[in-house]
Amino acid sequence: LLVLSYTGTLHESVQLNWDSDKDLIQMLLANGTGAFFLNIVSFNANKQTSPLAMNIGGITKQVLAIVLGIVLFHVEITSVAALGVLIVIAGIIFYSSEMYKEKMRAKTLLPSSTMDSDKSVGAPTQAS
């Protein structure tokens, strides 16, 4: 942008007039605001999850876009592309189920380990 501004190309190519280009300017501002808030949401999501989970979310979004393109716009794909989409979907399902199992295991282990520690604090054991 600095080079374009220095050479004058930027001024020649972008001459917005508020009266005639009001709709365009409003759409650009709305787009920029949306992108800004998307970055904030993405940053907060990164703090809550792992980079791998964010990557899986991005891949899921891409697969959803492909599937919606096929269904809504009747986009034709090759059998190799369809197989690739199915493999990716299977991988996402496998990852999601493993993460769910891991969370369930952590929930079942956490209460029992705290109960064990509560029993050992001041509670008489059978050996004594």
Side-chain angles (χ1 to χ4, degrees), residues 2 30 34-35 44 57 68 75-76 80 82 88 91 95 105 111 116 119 127:
L2 291 174
N44 287 326
L68 286 176
V75 174
E76 294 183 16
V80 173
V88 169
Y95 173 78
R105 272 186 249 127
D116 291 342
K119 289 180 185 175

Side-chain angles (χ1 to χ4, degrees), residues 64-77:
L64 183 61
I66 293 168
V67 170
L68 286 176
I70 293 168
V71 172
L72 295 178
F73 304 115
H74 308 291
V75 174
E76 294 183 16
I77 60 169

Side-chain angles (χ1 to χ4, degrees), residues 12-57:
E12 291 173 10
S13 61
V14 181
Q15 293 182 357
L16 296 176
N17 183 353
W18 177 254
D19 295 327
S20 62
D21 297 324
K22 187 176 181 179
D23 292 338
L24 175 64
I25 293 170
Q26 288 175 342
M27 285 189 288
L28 288 173
L29 287 174
N31 187 24
T33 304
F36 173 76
F37 285 112
L38 177 65
N39 284 333
I40 290 174
V41 169
S42 179
F43 178 75
N44 287 326
N46 278 328
K47 288 194 315 187
Q48 298 294 324
T49 63
S50 68
L52 179 60
M54 292 300 295
N55 197 1
I56 296 294

